[in-house]
Amino acid sequence: MVKAIMHGCNGKMGQVISGLIKEDPQIEIVAGIDTFQGITNEYPVFASLKECKVEAEVVIDFSNASAVDELLETCVERNLPVVLCTTGLSEEQLQKVEDAGRKVAVLRSANMSLGINLLMKLLKEAAAVLAPAGFDIELVEKHHNQKLDAPSGTAVALADSVNEALNNEYTYKYDRSQERKKREKNEIGIVAVRGGTIVGEHDVIFAGADEVITFQHTAYSKAVFGKGAVEAAKYLAGKPAGMYGMSDVIQF
């Protein structure tokens, strides 16, 4: 049985994952990390990973960007593989993630769901056909009104999948309100909508002459992300240093 530490255990996703793991005979949470101590869990909870001395094989992180630096540092010190699910990281932090991946196993994904990761694959194939045919590419993402980052990490990851298929020749346009001119050919517009309790909805639009093709993914609960994180943790435990992704966990 894989022994895991839940980093951000008292957050919404931390509690979702705790519930999923409770029903999974292949993995258990042996400790949690959270600065908020107002929830009672079936495992001990510490304010930081540095304070936690419980032996484990992998860390699942669903916290916030401000906690990631210390998390990576401690995982490297203890040679603890980490499933990094926190989004909204700065360029400097992304570099630290890459640096950590040279010393310990790091699995990072902007979205842990099977559907989103399959969509990324499909978008590469679609972009390779449709972009040369003159289709414009736009992306609209919708999330709940409590989400801090915009656009979402998933939206950027979807745009990146398209851009990779196009030799990274496209630029991203987040706001067209400051300039009055038609869209550039080689740009991907990304619009963020925030409201209500929307778990997550992403539309990738290929708009051509007289026809539109839309790829849509809708998440109806946070469980779709939690399930992927649990599978990733079971996969990553015991793996050598390196950068991993959900494509390693999910064999298409």
Side-chain angles (χ1 to χ4, degrees):
M1 181 180 288
V2 174
K3 296 181 178 180
I5 293 174
M6 185 65 233
H7 191 260
C9 63
N10 288 339
K12 292 180 180 179
M13 280 307 305
Q15 288 295 293
V16 168
I17 291 172
S18 295
L20 291 170
I21 288 180
K22 186 177 179 180
E23 304 300 322
D24 192 324
Q26 298 179 328
I27 185 171
E28 66 173 328
I29 298 179
V30 293
I33 309 297
D34 209 298
T35 55
F36 175 64
Q37 302 289 313
I39 295 177
T40 300
N41 295 285
E42 296 181 358
Y43 45 80
V45 178
F46 303 86
S48 72
L49 188 57
K50 287 184 178 295
E51 296 178 17
C52 177
K53 305 302 180 183
V54 180
E55 292 296 321
E57 300 166 82
V58 64
V59 176
I60 303 174
D61 168 66
F62 254 113
S63 56
N64 58 72
S66 64
V68 167
D69 289 358
E70 182 178 303
L71 167 69
L72 292 172
E73 179 184 330
T74 308
C75 285
V76 168
E77 287 177 359
R78 300 186 186 177
N79 194 31
L80 260 176
V82 55
V83 178
L84 188 63
C85 305
T86 295
T87 61
L89 303 184
S90 66
E91 289 300 321
E92 182 181 357
Q93 287 180 306
L94 291 175
Q95 184 57 56
K96 289 181 179 179
V97 172
E98 293 291 331
D99 294 341
R102 299 186 183 95
K103 302 172 184 176
V104 69
V106 177
L107 190 151
R108 176 178 173 269
S109 178
N111 190 298
M112 306 301 294
S113 83
L114 171 63
I116 283 290
N117 284 277
L118 175 59
L119 179 56
M120 290 180 184
K121 182 176 185 294
L122 296 175
L123 287 175
K124 289 181 179 180
E125 297 176 3
V129 174
L130 299 175
F135 282 68
D136 297 321
I137 305 165
E138 297 283 302
L139 196 154
V140 179
E141 58 99 340
K142 304 173 186 177
H143 284 87
H144 53 86
N145 58 22
Q146 301 300 304
K147 188 169 180 59
L148 300 179
D149 54 324
S152 68
T154 300
V156 175
L158 292 172
D160 286 345
S161 294
V162 171
N163 213 1
E164 286 173 15
L166 304 175
N167 299 314
N168 293 311
E169 294 177 354
Y170 279 54
T171 58
Y172 301 157
K173 179 70 69 172
Y174 302 107
D175 181 11
R176 294 194 175 96
S177 65
Q178 301 304 310
E179 52 187 30
R180 293 179 58 82
K181 66 177 185 179
K182 68 176 186 178
R183 78 188 310 280
E184 300 292 338
K185 178 182 178 181
N186 287 9
E187 73 180 31
I188 300 173
I190 303 178
V191 177
V193 176
R194 296 289 175 267
T197 59
I198 302 171
V199 175
E201 184 176 308
H202 295 83
D203 291 343
V204 183
I205 303 162
F206 292 86
D210 303 320
E211 62 178 332
V212 175
I213 300 170
T214 301
F215 291 83
Q216 182 183 83
H217 178 274
T218 302
Y220 292 101
S221 80
K222 293 180 179 294
V224 299
F225 312 124
K227 290 175 183 176
V230 173
E231 293 304 312
K234 291 191 286 187
Y235 168 84
L236 199 64
K239 289 293 187 294
M243 290 299 303
Y244 298 83
M246 284 302 289
S247 59
D248 297 305
V249 181
I250 306 166
Q251 299 299 316
F252 294 116

